[in-house]
Amino acid sequence: QVQLVESGGGLVQAGGSLRLSCAASGRTFSTYAMAWFRQAPGKEREFVTAISRNGAVTHYGDSVKGRFTISRDSAKNMVYLQMNSLKPADTAVYYCGARQTLLGSSLPTNFDSWGQGTQVTVSS
């Protein structure tokens, strides 16, 4: 399994932007599809976006399409989430997940490894 560490969260006003990073340990990072999920207090973990292990395939949750972009740099063992046009509804703890297969998934139960999460708070 890979070890994952998220960073980049913080407080931002509505309409602003943030870039989250997820650093992965290990030399097998390129064999993992990666994803971002988020969880607000009292709610279930929600799919945000995923990227295939070769970076060629991405998909997004309906609530973030057109605003968020996932990318990966396998040479650096990094995954990024660029978040633009942020809304108060985007407030949550954001988690990076890894799945040792070609494609990502929108189901959190399909992921083997998780980071500790990073808080994103969007003020109105």
Side-chain angles (χ1 to χ4, degrees), residues 48-59:
V48 176
T49 179
I51 188 167
S52 61
R53 68 186 182 198
N54 62 3
V57 179
T58 59
H59 60 285

Side-chain angles (χ1 to χ4, degrees), residues 45-68:
R45 194 162 291 194
E46 176 191 12
F47 172 71
V48 176
T49 179
I51 188 167
S52 61
R53 68 186 182 198
N54 62 3
V57 179
T58 59
H59 60 285
Y60 296 87
D62 288 342
S63 62
V64 306
K65 281 181 182 176
R67 300 188 298 122
F68 291 10

Side-chain angles (χ1 to χ4, degrees), residues 65-122:
K65 281 181 182 176
R67 300 188 298 122
F68 291 10
T69 303
I70 189 172
S71 60
R72 67 187 294 161
D73 184 340
S74 291
K76 296 181 179 180
N77 283 15
M78 296 292 294
V79 177
Y80 304 101
L81 179 63
Q82 178 66 42
M83 305 186 295
N84 299 328
S85 302
L86 283 161
K87 305 174 182 179
D90 295 318
T91 296
V93 177
Y94 283 71
Y95 296 92
C96 177
R99 180 183 185 214
Q100 197 166 22
T101 187
L102 172 61
L103 296 175
S105 170
S106 61
L107 298 176
T109 52
N110 285 341
F111 287 81
D112 309 309
S113 301
W114 294 95
Q116 83 290 347
T118 185
Q119 176 72 46
V120 172
T121 303
V122 184

